[in-house]
Amino acid sequence: GVLDNVINMTGLVQTQSVLDGAVSGDGEIFLLGEHDNGKIYVAGTLDASSTSSANAGTIIVKGYDLTVADNTSFNASSAQGDGGFVDTSGLHALS
């Protein structure tokens, strides 16, 4: 039960957007905890940015008990396209 309700994310999660001829896609990162007792701890870098003309991606981090360390970085920026979306909803975020 405990292992099913805990997400510890440290280090680097990177899924950058791509725009290369016929192939395109916006990166997506989702960390979702249970609505009544899920715990999420994030410390590091979540990167859904774009260094090309592609639009940036999406980062969603939601859970009942969310802790974001001081050194955490969320990046959903784009060099030339539209910026992405970041949602870090904590306590009682999911229903």
Side-chain angles (χ1 to χ4, degrees):
V2 172
L3 294 178
D4 294 336
N5 296 312
V6 176
I7 298 173
N8 286 313
M9 199 305 294
T10 59
L12 172 65
V13 175
Q14 188 174 44
T15 175
Q16 293 180 313
S17 297
V18 176
L19 183 61
D20 183 19
V23 178
S24 67
D26 299 338
E28 296 179 328
I29 299 171
F30 294 93
L31 300 177
L32 305 173
E34 290 288 327
H35 71 280
D36 57 351
N37 60 358
K39 294 184 179 188
I40 299 176
Y41 175 78
V42 181
T45 300
L46 283 78
D47 184 355
S49 65
S50 171
T51 58
S52 68
S53 60
N55 296 333
T58 300
I59 301 171
I60 307 257
V61 181
K62 289 186 175 186
Y64 179 83
D65 183 358
L66 172 61
T67 302
V68 178
D70 289 340
N71 64 339
T72 303
S73 171
F74 298 95
N75 185 0
S77 63
S78 179
Q80 299 173 15
D82 291 335
F85 178 75
V86 176
D87 181 2
T88 57
S89 303
L91 191 60
H92 305 289
L94 300 175
S95 58

